[in-house]
Amino acid sequence: AAVGSDFPVSVKINSADFQRGGFEEDDSLKVIQMLERAGIDLLEISGGNYESPSMFDKGPVRESTRQREAYFLDFAARVRKTTRLALMITGGFRSREFVNKTLNSGKVDVIGMARPFLLEHDFARRFLRKALAEVPQPALKTGWKTTDLMAEGGWYDLQIRRLSRGLNPARSISAWRGVMHILNFEFVKSIAHILRGRR
């Protein structure tokens, strides 16, 4: 009502939060129907949360999922059957070939990408001009699944901080440095929360 009917409105929604007793795909489908009735223009599909970050999890998955790259494409196919909304999917896309294949399949209308921008400073220009076919991800392994998830989150956060200071990405940052970054960040956040609670 505030911006008018010609102003595009998009909503990003989880397919599921992957927590026992939490938000599941069927719940998401119900919310999507409500959003369509409310008149949104674009629906972006993602999933997970910071306690169960599916976007970081490199655990056992079906080979077909690995080959597809995208994390939430199966759910997008379910959504496509229930809504006429324009659909966007974010998570796992790394190659131009697969981006084009997914768009041509008609399952989604828009592809969202984030991490490649943190790894290649001129990613968009090279990707769109076909000078870059794929962005390989670093292997961030510590030997334990829990710290692997922390390593990945911390590693990419460090890249964001570098870019914000005008620096280039640094692939040489270790997985363990990513872990320590996350632990320090969470520690500082927890202390700040405790101090706010005492006021």
Side-chain angles (χ1 to χ4, degrees):
V3 298
S5 60
D6 60 343
F7 187 91
V9 176
S10 65
V11 172
K12 183 172 183 176
I13 190 169
N14 273 2
S15 56
D17 61 15
F18 307 104
Q19 297 286 314
R20 183 174 301 177
F23 193 72
E24 298 179 354
E25 288 189 0
D26 288 342
D27 300 316
S28 185
L29 289 171
K30 291 175 184 176
V31 174
I32 290 167
Q33 291 169 3
M34 294 165 62
L35 291 169
E36 183 172 24
R37 289 195 295 271
I40 70 164
D41 301 289
L42 174 70
L43 182 77
E44 180 183 0
I45 296 168
S46 187
N49 61 45
Y50 288 101
E51 292 181 8
S52 182
S54 60
M55 67 289 284
F56 294 159
D57 193 353
K58 299 296 186 296
V61 294
R62 294 182 314 221
E63 184 60 31
S64 59
T65 302
R66 284 195 201 90
Q67 291 173 354
R68 279 201 315 264
E69 299 180 30
Y71 303 146
F72 309 111
L73 198 51
D74 288 343
F75 181 67
R78 285 189 69 189
V79 174
R80 180 60 96 195
K81 295 176 182 177
T82 65
T83 181
R84 291 182 293 176
L85 287 171
L87 298 181
M88 174 177 176
I89 188 170
T90 300
F93 289 93
R94 297 293 177 266
S95 70
R96 189 176 60 252
E97 178 184 3
F98 190 66
V99 165
N100 288 332
K101 180 178 178 181
T102 303
L103 290 172
N104 291 333
S105 74
K107 293 178 182 176
V108 296
D109 306 292
V110 181
I111 300 296
M113 301 176 79
R115 292 188 184 189
F117 285 92
L118 303 178
L119 300 174
E120 299 285 342
H121 69 279
D122 58 349
F123 163 73
R125 180 183 61 80
R126 295 176 63 205
F127 195 75
L128 293 173
R129 292 184 179 179
K130 302 183 180 180
L132 180 67
E134 185 171 357
V135 178
Q137 293 186 90
L140 301 168
K141 298 294 181 184
T142 63
W144 294 285
K145 182 176 180 180
T146 300
T147 48
D148 283 350
L149 298 178
M150 295 168 66
E152 197 155 343
W155 194 91
Y156 281 99
D157 187 67
L158 285 167
Q159 303 299 347
I160 291 171
R161 290 168 188 262
R162 286 182 62 83
L163 293 172
S164 73
R165 298 195 305 270
L167 302 173
N168 288 328
R171 288 179 177 265
S172 60
I173 294 174
S174 71
W176 280 109
R177 186 175 169 198
V179 171
M180 297 309 296
H181 175 70
I182 284 292
L183 289 174
N184 180 64
F185 175 78
E186 291 299 328
F187 175 76
V188 171
K189 187 170 71 173
S190 297
I191 293 299
H193 180 71
I194 291 169
L195 293 175
R196 280 196 303 268
R198 290 179 177 175
R199 289 178 185 172

